[in-house]
Structure formats: C-alpha cells, structure tokens
Amino acid sequence: MKQSEFQAAVAEEFGVGYGGAVVGDLVLTALGGRTAREALAAGVRPREVWLALCEATDVPEERRHGAGRPVPGETRSPRHP
C-alpha cells in the first residue's frame, strides 16, 4: 500500500474530516502508542498503519483488504459523506 492509497482508504472508510481526526488523534497501541500520523512519519509502512487503524476502529474484515485502490472503470465515493 502506498501513502496515497492509505489516504484514499481513510477518506473512503471514515470520510475526509473524521478521517483526519482518526489519523491525527487516535493513539494506536499496536503502533507503540503513536497516532497513525506519527507512525507514518516514523517510517511505519502505510499498510501496517491501515490495518492497525482498522483493528482499533472495528472496520469489518471485508473492507480492510484492497482499500484505497481504485477499481477499474468505477468511480469511488466515501462511505460517510
């Protein structure tokens, strides 16, 4: 997962506004007590950060894999406007 895919996955799952709060404010035990933003800045792979966010926020398993990647021929919109 690339950084841009991580950002798209967050926006799709949580919406742009709330997604920013989740990434910047939610402390993730799985990432050493850091926020997603801090973990990414420290060099943690975006996929690892995404999965930690999913676990902490109870994102269903079926929405965790392939998130953030465009579906050929489909326009994606956020789940929560």
Side-chain angles (χ1 to χ4, degrees):
M1 173 179 262
K2 298 176 185 176
Q3 181 83 19
S4 60
E5 293 170 334
F6 170 82
Q7 292 168 340
V10 169
E12 182 179 331
E13 184 61 40
F14 301 107
V16 176
Y18 183 62
V22 169
V23 168
D25 297 337
L26 181 62
V27 175
L28 301 165
T29 305
L31 298 176
R34 295 179 284 194
T35 66
R37 183 171 293 128
E38 292 168 338
L40 290 168
V44 178
R45 294 178 309 157
R47 184 72 178 165
E48 186 177 341
V49 176
W50 169 246
L51 292 175
L53 270 178
C54 289
E55 187 64 32
T57 59
D58 295 323
V59 172
E61 191 73 29
E62 64 270 11
R63 293 202 312 251
R64 295 179 187 194
H65 304 287
R69 296 181 182 200
V71 176
E74 222 179 84
T75 302
R76 300 179 92 173
S77 60
R79 292 187 194 285
H80 307 284

